[in-house]
């Protein structure tokens, strides 16, 4: 069974631009969640989607948005990038969203 | 307000000895607790979990203990091996009744010296 796939692996953007990150969950998993990790910090919860509906949202500004498609694949979008958005963005999938998460390798975003 | 705290940023132990990683939480609604291990340039991988109805769960060299009254859990690794060197994250979720969000601590970097 293929694991969680995130693309791209690395991204370099400049302030003010927008970016879209993609995540393909494990087959059969209906829950996809997104986390941000900055150096020395834990994983900060962004949002979670279950069967195409956003079920939970973290404390991030509206510049951060996401969606989930009918095949459970998910995208995350960040508009008007700021320097502080530089981080590792991790996607995770699970069957129902409360049990163990399976993480992708992440997208390392650098904002210059 | 950090609901899941790992107060030790780092821990160093000798190979063969016990590693004990600690985690405290504040939210009484947390129902399910997990530990993840993370190597550089990789996503976290699930290690072991425990439901709030239990106080101990074992899986090989890894044991997780839960003290609900103290809102404290710990991960014991016995014996520790150099390959265990990684960042360990404690996480908590609301379980089945409040699915969709896991709250993570800041992580503890474990170094196991040969």
């Amino acid at each position: 069974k293929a694991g969680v796939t995130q693309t791209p692996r690395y991204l370099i953007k400049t302030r003010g631009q927008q970016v879209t990150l993609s995540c393909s969950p494990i087959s059969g998993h209906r829950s996809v969640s997104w986390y941000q990790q900055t150096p020395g910090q834990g994983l900060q919860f962004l949002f979670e989607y279950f069967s195409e509906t956003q079920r939970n949202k973290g404390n991030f500004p509206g510049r951060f948005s996401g969606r989930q498609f009918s095949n459970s694949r998910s995208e995350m979008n960040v508009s008007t990038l700021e320097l502080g958005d530089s981080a590792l963005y991790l996607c995770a999938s699970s069957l129902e969203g409360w049990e163990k998460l399976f993480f992708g390798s992440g997208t390392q975003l650098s904002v210059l | 307000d950090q609901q899941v705290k790992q107060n030790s940023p780092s821990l160093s132990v000798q190979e063969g000895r016990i590693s004990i990683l600690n985690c405290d939480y504040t939210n009484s609604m947390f129902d399910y607790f997990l530990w993840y291990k993370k190597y550089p340039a990789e996503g976290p991988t699930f290690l072991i979990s425990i439901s709030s109805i239990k106080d101990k769960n074992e899986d090989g060299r890894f044991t997780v203990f839960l003290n609900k009254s103290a809102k404290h859990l710990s991960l014991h690794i016995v014996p520790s091996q150099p390959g265990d060197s990684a960042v360990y994250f404690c996480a908590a979720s609301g379980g089945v009744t409040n699915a969709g969000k896991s709250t993570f601590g800041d992580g503890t970097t474990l170094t196991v010296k040969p």
Side-chain angles (χ1 to χ4, degrees):
Chain A
K1 210 178 216 184
V4 177
T5 304
Q6 289 188 248
T7 56
R9 188 75 178 88
Y10 300 95
L11 261 181
I12 299 176
K13 293 284 186 179
T14 56
R15 278 182 300 173
Q17 287 187 310
Q18 77 162 22
V19 67
T20 299
L21 313 181
S22 180
C23 174
S24 292
I26 291 173
S27 177
H29 285 189
R30 295 187 293 172
S31 169
V32 174
S33 50
W34 290 87
Y35 290 83
Q36 180 197 66
Q37 185 185 19
T38 49
Q41 297 294 310
L43 280 65
Q44 304 299 314
F45 175 75
L46 281 154
F47 29 67
E48 186 254 4
Y49 288 86
F50 184 82
S51 295
E52 301 181 68
T53 300
Q54 187 182 85
R55 192 164 54 171
N56 272 288
K57 190 177 190 308
N59 296 321
F60 278 81
R63 299 186 297 107
F64 292 81
S65 63
R67 58 178 175 169
Q68 186 181 33
F69 302 95
S70 58
N71 61 359
S72 291
R73 192 177 70 84
S74 177
E75 286 182 348
M76 187 190 112
N77 185 276
V78 187
S79 62
T80 320
L81 283 166
E82 300 177 0
L83 295 179
D85 296 334
S86 295
L88 177 66
Y89 290 88
L90 292 159
C91 165
S93 75
S94 68
L95 287 168
E96 301 292 331
W98 62 269
E99 71 285 57
K100 66 182 179 183
L101 302 175
F102 293 82
F103 283 87
S105 296
T107 295
Q108 183 67 54
L109 172 65
S110 297
V111 182
L112 307 178
Chain B
D1 172 34
Q2 195 166 11
Q3 297 187 30
V4 177
K5 289 185 182 179
Q6 293 177 255
N7 291 318
S8 298
S10 62
L11 175 68
S12 180
V13 300
Q14 208 65 35
E15 180 180 7
R17 298 290 189 106
I18 184 172
S19 295
I20 300 176
L21 295 90
N22 294 301
C23 179
D24 296 299
Y25 63 96
T26 57
N27 191 337
S28 302
M29 298 301 290
F30 288 145
D31 202 34
Y32 195 64
F33 303 89
L34 312 96
W35 285 94
Y36 293 84
K37 182 165 77 170
K38 186 180 186 300
Y39 294 116
E42 295 181 12
T45 55
F46 169 77
L47 199 55
I48 192 169
S49 62
I50 188 167
S51 163
S52 61
I53 62 173
K54 294 186 173 182
D55 55 19
K56 176 183 173 181
N57 188 25
E58 238 175 310
D59 184 2
R61 296 185 298 114
F62 303 91
T63 303
V64 56
F65 295 91
L66 175 63
N67 183 332
K68 281 188 67 178
S69 60
K71 293 190 175 67
H72 177 84
L73 64 154
S74 61
L75 173 68
H76 292 209
I77 306 173
V78 184
S80 301
Q81 300 173 353
D84 295 330
S85 297
V87 180
Y88 289 78
F89 289 100
C90 167
S93 79
V96 178
T97 56
N98 190 21
K101 177 179 178 180
S102 289
T103 302
F104 284 76
D106 288 344
T108 296
T109 301
L110 173 65
T111 303
V112 180
K113 298 179 179 179

